Each structure stands twice: as C-alpha cells, then as structure tokens.
Amino acid sequence: MTRGRRPVHCRTQLLERGMELFDRNGYHGTGLKEILDACQVSRGSFYNFFGSKEEFAVEIIRHYQDLGFAHWTLQLDPHGDYAAQLRRQIEAEIDQDQEHCFRMGSLLVNLSGEIGSASDAFRGAIAAATERMLEAIETDMRICQQQGTVRRDLSARALAELIWNSWQGALLRRQIEGSAEPLRTMVRLLWDQLLPATQARTP
C-alpha cells in the first residue's frame, strides 16, 4: 500500500524553491509563508517533510551538494590529464553556467555568514558540507600528484584547503563586485603559479 507515502517530487520542489528564496533574500529574510506560497503547499504539508525552517535549511545544503557532486563527477576522466581537465571544467562553469557553478559555494558562504553560529545543526551541516568538498578536492589533487602535474612538496589536503579557501574568497568578491573576474583570476593564479609541479610552472 502507498497510503501515507510522501511524494518525493513535492519535497524536491520545496528544496528547489527554498534555495532560490534563500539565495535572493537570505535565511532570515525568507519567511515560512513565502516558502509555502512559492511552492503552493500548506503548512501541514511542509511539516510532513521538515520539522522546522532550520531543518529545511540543513536539508537544502545536503540536497544541493548531492546535485553538485553528481554534476561534477560526470565531467572528469581520471585517465586523462586531470589537472588540465579540472581547470577546463572550472573555467567552463564560470563562463557558460555561472549560476549552477556558484550555487553551492555561494550557499555555504552566505549561510556561514548569516547563520553559521546560530545553532549546532547549522554548524554541523555547514562543517560537513565543507569537509565533503575538501575531501573531494583532496582526491582530485592526489590524482594530479600521481600524474606528476601538481606539486608534491605540499600534501593533497593542503592544496585542497588552498583551492577551497581561494574559491570562497573569490565568491565573496564576485558577490560584492558583480563580476566573475575574481574567479577567473583565482583560477589563473592557482593553475599557472601555485599548483603546478616546479618544472611545469609558468614563468
């Protein structure tokens, strides 16, 4: 029997629209009524899926990170020049599909600043999302090191920290300046000067 089963598409719709509203208005600037109206669901239906607005925000972080990982991993071939592929993919995301590219990073930047210290649930969700990103980048850097295209005097984890912290900072500047140029500059600096093995660095 399927009676009482929660329709997945409705839950997904809530997460999709909630993300859009949080992007536009922030967490505190988005009221529950606005979410319900945008999704055309009742308060009772919302609480069938999420115990609170806080839980809703935590689930948004997890949902969009899952989507981002699925999108990203389909683009890369571990048997090719992995460092070059990573650069091309990042630059393509910046140039061709900026909103998709920035969503996850922007979400973490915005929520970290707005509500990162508001509760253990928020801190835990943001920390877990950040750690998952760092582990993924660390794996990428380890592949590049094995191929001899990325420096080995720093650990793969240290390089992952460098990339992630630089990306987050560039995202903040993009939001302030309304331009993707800080992201492009970051990619050029990392891939031409900071990441390559010594013999491969651009003079």
Side-chain angles (χ1 to χ4, degrees):
M1 293 180 65
T2 59
R3 183 179 179 181
R5 180 179 298 173
R6 300 174 181 179
V8 175
H9 68 280
C10 291
R11 184 180 188 279
T12 301
Q13 181 191 30
L14 282 165
L15 294 171
E16 296 273 350
R17 296 308 300 272
M19 174 67 191
E20 294 171 4
L21 292 171
F22 287 171
D23 265 350
R24 184 167 67 244
N25 304 322
Y27 176 82
H28 292 301
T30 302
L32 181 57
K33 184 178 186 304
E34 188 175 3
I35 297 170
L36 301 180
D37 290 345
C39 298
Q40 297 183 336
V41 298
S42 67
R43 185 178 295 266
S45 294
F46 178 88
Y47 284 116
N48 280 336
F49 293 112
F50 311 102
S52 65
K53 182 183 170 186
E54 179 180 290
E55 181 182 320
F56 180 53
V58 168
E59 288 301 314
I60 283 176
I61 293 172
R62 293 170 179 162
H63 175 68
Y64 274 92
Q65 190 170 56
D66 287 342
L67 292 180
F69 270 95
H71 171 80
W72 184 261
T73 55
L74 289 174
Q75 312 301 316
L76 302 173
D77 175 10
H79 302 294
D81 184 335
Y82 211 71
Q85 289 183 74
L86 285 169
R87 179 174 186 164
R88 285 195 299 269
Q89 180 63 16
I90 292 171
E91 290 176 335
E93 294 285 341
I94 292 172
D95 293 337
Q96 300 172 15
D97 192 13
Q98 292 188 15
E99 289 309 312
H100 178 90
C101 177
F102 302 141
R103 262 188 172 182
M104 191 61 228
S106 294
L107 175 64
L108 290 179
V109 167
N110 294 339
L111 292 184
S112 294
E114 187 179 6
I115 60 175
S117 61
S119 73
D120 290 340
F122 284 137
R123 281 192 297 273
I126 292 170
T130 299
E131 181 58 28
R132 188 179 178 193
M133 295 297 298
L134 286 169
E135 288 176 355
I137 301 170
E138 181 180 358
T139 297
D140 291 337
M141 289 299 99
R142 190 171 294 112
I143 293 172
C144 295
Q145 287 176 327
Q146 290 169 352
Q147 293 181 342
T149 56
V150 164
R151 61 192 301 170
R152 297 180 183 176
D153 58 322
L154 296 175
S155 68
R157 177 67 182 208
L159 295 177
E161 296 270 3
L162 173 65
I163 293 170
W164 180 247
N165 293 340
S166 299
W167 180 255
Q168 294 293 90
L171 279 174
L172 280 173
R173 286 192 57 199
R174 174 196 177 264
Q175 293 177 359
I176 294 169
E177 300 172 15
S179 168
E181 191 55 35
L183 290 162
R184 296 189 180 98
T185 299
M186 180 216 72
V187 172
R188 288 194 297 269
L189 181 61
L190 285 174
W191 263 261
D192 290 342
Q193 303 294 333
L194 300 179
L195 293 180
T198 303
Q199 67 274 15
R201 293 180 195 172
T202 302

PDB file of all heavy atoms in Angstrom, residues 12 41 74 89 175 187:
ATOM      1  N   THR A  12      11.234  17.681  -3.217  1.00  0.00           N
ATOM      2  CA  THR A  12      12.266  18.265  -4.071  1.00  0.00           C
ATOM      3  C   THR A  12      11.884  19.675  -4.490  1.00  0.00           C
ATOM      4  O   THR A  12      12.728  20.580  -4.517  1.00  0.00           O
ATOM      5  CB  THR A  12      12.492  17.384  -5.314  1.00  0.00           C
ATOM      6  OG1 THR A  12      12.883  16.075  -4.891  1.00  0.00           O
ATOM      7  CG2 THR A  12      13.572  17.970  -6.200  1.00  0.00           C
ATOM      8  N   VAL A  41       2.019  24.952  -1.236  1.00  0.00           N
ATOM      9  CA  VAL A  41       1.738  23.843  -0.324  1.00  0.00           C
ATOM     10  C   VAL A  41       1.244  24.419   0.992  1.00  0.00           C
ATOM     11  O   VAL A  41       1.477  25.583   1.311  1.00  0.00           O
ATOM     12  CB  VAL A  41       2.981  22.965  -0.075  1.00  0.00           C
ATOM     13  CG1 VAL A  41       3.461  22.315  -1.354  1.00  0.00           C
ATOM     14  CG2 VAL A  41       4.100  23.774   0.571  1.00  0.00           C
ATOM     15  N   LEU A  74      30.606  13.596 -13.353  1.00  0.00           N
ATOM     16  CA  LEU A  74      30.340  13.104 -14.702  1.00  0.00           C
ATOM     17  C   LEU A  74      31.272  13.728 -15.735  1.00  0.00           C
ATOM     18  O   LEU A  74      31.389  13.219 -16.847  1.00  0.00           O
ATOM     19  CB  LEU A  74      28.885  13.397 -15.090  1.00  0.00           C
ATOM     20  CG  LEU A  74      27.808  12.575 -14.377  1.00  0.00           C
ATOM     21  CD1 LEU A  74      26.425  13.082 -14.765  1.00  0.00           C
ATOM     22  CD2 LEU A  74      27.950  11.099 -14.715  1.00  0.00           C
ATOM     23  N   GLN A  89      37.146  22.468 -16.763  1.00  0.00           N
ATOM     24  CA  GLN A  89      35.798  22.332 -16.232  1.00  0.00           C
ATOM     25  C   GLN A  89      35.402  23.550 -15.401  1.00  0.00           C
ATOM     26  O   GLN A  89      34.294  24.070 -15.527  1.00  0.00           O
ATOM     27  CB  GLN A  89      35.690  21.064 -15.389  1.00  0.00           C
ATOM     28  CG  GLN A  89      34.319  20.813 -14.772  1.00  0.00           C
ATOM     29  CD  GLN A  89      33.233  20.609 -15.815  1.00  0.00           C
ATOM     30  OE1 GLN A  89      33.526  20.359 -16.994  1.00  0.00           O
ATOM     31  NE2 GLN A  89      31.989  20.713 -15.399  1.00  0.00           N
ATOM     32  N   GLN A 175      30.295  38.475  -5.449  1.00  0.00           N
ATOM     33  CA  GLN A 175      29.020  38.986  -4.961  1.00  0.00           C
ATOM     34  C   GLN A 175      29.070  40.493  -4.754  1.00  0.00           C
ATOM     35  O   GLN A 175      28.110  41.204  -5.044  1.00  0.00           O
ATOM     36  CB  GLN A 175      28.631  38.283  -3.664  1.00  0.00           C
ATOM     37  CG  GLN A 175      28.307  36.801  -3.848  1.00  0.00           C
ATOM     38  CD  GLN A 175      28.002  36.107  -2.531  1.00  0.00           C
ATOM     39  OE1 GLN A 175      28.053  36.721  -1.474  1.00  0.00           O
ATOM     40  NE2 GLN A 175      27.700  34.825  -2.595  1.00  0.00           N
ATOM     41  N   VAL A 187      41.644  31.205 -10.708  1.00  0.00           N
ATOM     42  CA  VAL A 187      41.993  30.003 -11.468  1.00  0.00           C
ATOM     43  C   VAL A 187      43.350  30.168 -12.137  1.00  0.00           C
ATOM     44  O   VAL A 187      44.200  29.269 -12.093  1.00  0.00           O
ATOM     45  CB  VAL A 187      40.897  29.688 -12.513  1.00  0.00           C
ATOM     46  CG1 VAL A 187      41.353  28.563 -13.444  1.00  0.00           C
ATOM     47  CG2 VAL A 187      39.597  29.293 -11.823  1.00  0.00           C
TER      48      VAL A 187
END
